[in-house]
């Protein structure tokens, strides 16, 4: 007769969390910071086609670290979710908050029910009419959601990056200053030359689709 | 709404319309009763010029013999580099345009690149084709598609028929009840070397003629200040000509009209 083995819930969650964290720690960080006319998202990325940052909706952007196939499938699901909602209701009804909740719920379910948790961390940014209405949400591998103000980072060296950027000039800086500060923070935290950048902005320019990729 | 994205993760449906069907919001079934056939009471037209396309639509919607709306929009931005104009049953047509716009943007976001102009034109053909059962009952939609093809650097023009046939036109096209009149004016005036200004004037002349010949088409209404919707699509993308410029254009054409 086989003896059913027992693992305490605490141990189960701990093991899974440790597994996910290890995967994420290997991923290069991504930072998002507000500037006078929008939100800048900067990632270290050597590929010019496999993006970590993407457009979800008119004023909502997405960034993911960790396993590419996992956060890419979540990004696609996010676009589907947003387009469905915007089509069935109105374009203004698509918000980063509801998306972050959906991502959180998905990651939470995968974390507890699937064989392997997703090794990803996500960043959802929403551009407001004024800087005070900008929203930044972080979603962790277990579905935990956190809201950040003006500055958010995900990935391996997220905390160090955030600390390095705390002292940078305030949210009324220009895009160039924000980009400069973010690149400097990356260089100081990583302690090496960064091989390639991927950068995008959500721009307050009156256009419907605020997302735009930029050269970094 | 779907809260757990897991049903949306993975290979999933190919396009936005398939996605809508999957979540149970596809097009409704039709009542099995014969309906009164509605005509395509309108005029929409397009003129190709050396570097782009001009698309013009009148603003009137009719209900039988009466005017339903005077300021309806029949020309839309399909995306940043293409325009779509509609004739036929207004409600069905505007919904088709909304779905088409969403579909193009959805594709662009998922794939990371814009659909080719050819791809957009074929997709629209399929949408019209899917509409066939409704068309058989009289709810006809016949669009017209024009855009700037970035791969070849020129404007291109597509006309459709009610079963989803797609025909590329090299010069001009027009559709709706005033289409025949508009086409004859366009054909007579079009030359291969026509430029943007020439195309704008020719298009306006055709619309004015259609408005005079066809009861369901309203030409420029200077008294109420209701101008036809005039759109230019070229290398700079889709843009609508401001009303004050259309007034000038319309006044000039009307002055020269017999």
């Amino acid at each position: 007769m086989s003896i059913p083995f027992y693992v305490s819930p605490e141990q189960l969650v701990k093991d899974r969390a440790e597994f996910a964290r290890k995967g994420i720690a290997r991923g290069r960080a991504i930072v998002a910071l507000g500037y006078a006319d929008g939100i800048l998202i900067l990632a270290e990325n050597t590929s010019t086609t496999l993006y970590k940052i993407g457009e979800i909706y008119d004023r909502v952007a997405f960034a993911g670290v960790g396993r590419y196939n996992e956060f890419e499938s979540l990004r696609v699901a996010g676009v589907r979710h947003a387009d469905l909602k915007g089509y069935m209701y109105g374009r203004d009804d698509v918000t980063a908050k509801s998306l972050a909740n959906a991502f959180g719920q998905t990651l939470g379910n995968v974390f507890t029910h699937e064989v392997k948790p997703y090794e990803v961390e996500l960043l959802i940014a929403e551009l407001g009419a004024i800087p005070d209405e900008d929203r930044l949400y972080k979603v962790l591998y277990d579905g935990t959601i956190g809201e950040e103000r003006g500055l958010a980072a995900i990935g391996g060296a997220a905390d160090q990056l955030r600390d390095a950027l705390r002292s940078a000039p305030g949210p009324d800086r220009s895009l160039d200053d924000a980009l400069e500060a973010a690149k400097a923070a990356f260089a100081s935290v990583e302690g090496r030359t960064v091989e390639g950048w991927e950068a995008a902005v959500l721009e307050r320019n009156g256009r419907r689709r605020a997302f735009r990729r930029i050269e970094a | 709404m779907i809260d757990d994205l897991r049903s949306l993760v993975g290979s999933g449906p190919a396009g936005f319309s398939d996605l809508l069907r999957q979540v149970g919001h596809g097009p409704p079934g039709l009542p099995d009763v014969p309906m009164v056939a509605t005509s395509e009471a309108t005029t929409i037209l397009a003129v190709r010029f050396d570097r782009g396309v001009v698309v013009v639509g009148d603003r009137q919607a009719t209900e039988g013999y009466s005017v339903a709306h005077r300021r309806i929009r029949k020309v839309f931005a399909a995306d940043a580099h293409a325009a779509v104009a509609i004739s036929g049953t207004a409600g069905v047509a505007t919904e088709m345009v909304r779905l088409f716009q969403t579909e193009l943007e959805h594709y662009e976001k998922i794939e990371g690149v814009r659909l080719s102009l050819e791809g957009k034109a074929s997709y629209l053909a399929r949408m019209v084709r899917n509409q066939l059962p409704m068309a058989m009952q009289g709810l006809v939609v016949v669009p017209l598609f024009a855009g700037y093809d970035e791969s070849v650097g020129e404007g291109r023009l597509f006309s459709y028929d009610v079963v989803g046939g797609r025909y590329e036109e090299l010069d001009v096209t027009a559709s709706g009840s005033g289409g025949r009149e508009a086409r004859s004016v366009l054909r007579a005036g079009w030359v291969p070397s026509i430029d943007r200004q020439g195309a704008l004037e020719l298009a306006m002349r055709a619309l004015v003629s259609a408005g005079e010949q066809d009861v369901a088409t309203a030409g420029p209404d200077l008294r109420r200040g209701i101008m036809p919707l005039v759109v230019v699509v070229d290398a700079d993308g889709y843009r609508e000509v401001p009303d004050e410029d259309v007034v000038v254009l319309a006044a000039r054409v009307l002055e020269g009209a017999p």
Side-chain angles (χ1 to χ4, degrees):
Chain A
M1 188 187 121
S2 66
I3 303 164
F5 63 92
Y6 172 79
V7 183
S8 75
E10 285 94 340
Q11 190 59 41
L12 191 80
V13 169
K14 220 177 112 204
D15 288 352
R16 283 167 173 260
E18 198 177 316
F19 171 81
R21 262 196 233 112
K22 251 193 232 155
I24 294 158
R26 282 196 293 272
R28 306 273 159 81
I30 298 180
V31 69
L33 69 167
Y35 63 96
D37 303 315
I39 301 170
L40 164 73
I41 306 175
L42 182 70
E44 187 182 351
N45 191 351
T46 48
S47 170
T48 52
T49 50
L50 301 176
Y51 293 127
K52 298 178 178 184
I53 308 168
E55 176 187 17
I56 294 265
Y57 210 65
D58 295 351
R59 305 176 77 78
V60 183
F62 169 101
V65 294
R67 266 183 183 283
Y68 175 78
N69 65 323
E70 290 177 352
F71 66 71
E72 173 65 11
S73 69
L74 285 169
R75 181 190 71 84
V76 169
V79 171
R80 288 179 179 154
H81 185 266
D83 275 347
L84 270 176
K85 198 168 176 189
Y87 179 78
M88 289 189 331
Y89 304 112
R91 296 201 82 90
D92 292 341
D93 300 317
V94 177
T95 59
K97 194 184 111 187
S98 77
L99 270 163
N101 278 324
F103 282 128
Q105 217 172 94
T106 309
L107 284 169
N109 283 336
V110 170
F111 184 78
T112 43
H113 297 306
E114 307 277 323
V115 179
K116 178 193 98 62
Y118 276 9
E119 299 158 71
V120 295
E121 261 176 40
L122 312 178
L123 186 89
I124 320 297
E126 179 184 344
L127 190 73
I130 51 168
D132 259 358
E133 291 171 6
D134 288 353
R135 298 280 178 266
L136 293 171
Y137 297 96
K138 254 170 88 161
V139 188
L140 305 188
Y141 56 88
D142 60 352
T144 312
I145 302 173
E147 186 180 357
E148 314 261 333
R149 295 231 63 115
L151 169 65
I154 51 171
D159 291 343
Q160 294 97 301
L161 255 181
R162 223 160 57 118
D163 291 343
L165 276 166
R166 275 264 161 67
S167 50
D172 42 353
R173 61 199 145 200
S174 70
L175 173 58
D176 287 342
D177 289 348
L179 193 58
E180 212 52 51
K183 281 163 98 170
F186 261 99
S188 77
V189 167
E190 300 283 348
R192 60 183 167 78
T193 41
V194 174
E195 283 149 22
W197 296 109
E198 180 191 342
V201 289
L202 285 171
E203 230 170 7
R204 241 185 296 278
N205 56 10
R207 294 212 191 94
R208 178 169 68 79
R209 288 170 78 179
F211 184 86
R212 182 167 68 91
R213 295 190 185 281
I214 58 167
E215 288 289 321
Chain B
M1 277 304 298
I2 301 160
D3 278 326
D4 191 336
L5 298 180
R6 272 185 300 176
S7 59
L8 301 180
V9 166
S11 56
F16 184 74
S17 311
D18 307 315
L19 183 60
L20 268 181
R21 259 190 298 279
Q22 182 193 308
V23 300
H25 288 274
L30 277 170
D32 194 20
V33 289
M35 291 186 188
V36 185
T38 53
S39 61
E40 304 148 45
T42 193
T43 301
I44 50 172
L45 56 94
V47 180
R48 199 164 162 248
F49 62 95
D50 53 359
R51 289 186 309 278
V53 188
V54 168
V55 186
V56 178
D58 82 309
R59 304 292 295 271
Q60 182 170 281
T62 48
E63 236 172 52
Y65 291 106
S66 59
V67 175
H69 304 282
R70 289 190 199 283
R71 291 170 202 272
I72 198 172
R73 170 184 280 268
K74 298 174 189 171
V75 186
F76 302 82
D79 67 3
H81 287 89
V84 55
I86 47 165
S87 65
T89 315
V92 184
T94 45
E95 192 55 26
M96 183 189 281
V97 167
R98 207 160 81 90
L99 188 57
F100 184 51
Q101 290 166 326
T102 309
E103 190 73 63
L104 296 187
E105 197 182 306
H106 188 72
Y107 179 94
E108 181 186 340
K109 285 189 286 193
I110 300 258
E111 300 290 329
V113 287
R114 259 202 294 272
L115 207 57
S116 66
L117 194 71
E118 191 79 34
K120 293 174 204 170
S122 317
Y123 192 84
L124 186 59
R126 209 164 78 219
M127 291 182 81
V128 177
R129 178 76 180 74
N130 289 342
Q131 184 67 28
L132 190 59
M134 280 173 106
M136 301 290 278
Q137 302 205 16
L139 303 174
V140 174
V141 179
V142 179
L144 190 160
F145 182 67
Y148 183 75
D149 192 335
E150 288 161 292
S151 64
V152 291
E154 55 184 45
R156 292 173 69 186
L157 196 52
F158 299 88
S159 66
Y160 295 82
D161 63 21
V162 71
V163 294
R166 174 180 66 116
Y167 312 97
E168 178 157 12
E169 310 285 349
L170 296 175
D171 45 8
V172 296
T173 186
S175 132
S177 53
R180 179 193 288 265
E181 175 68 18
R183 249 191 319 270
S184 64
V185 174
L186 291 172
R187 290 256 156 78
W190 193 81
V191 287
S193 61
I194 197 165
D195 63 356
R196 199 176 81 105
Q197 191 55 35
L200 282 169
E201 278 176 26
L202 178 61
M204 184 55 78
R205 215 162 54 232
L207 189 81
V208 167
S209 291
E212 280 167 4
Q213 195 64 33
D214 173 34
V215 283
T217 299
D221 187 340
L222 295 172
R223 191 171 63 80
R224 291 193 186 84
I226 304 171
M227 287 298 117
L229 206 68
V230 182
V231 164
V232 176
V233 189
D234 58 15
D236 297 332
Y238 170 103
R239 56 194 190 281
E240 287 169 10
V241 178
D243 261 4
E244 53 267 33
D245 296 350
V246 180
V247 170
V248 175
L249 188 68
R252 196 159 55 228
V253 168
L254 286 171
E255 250 166 53

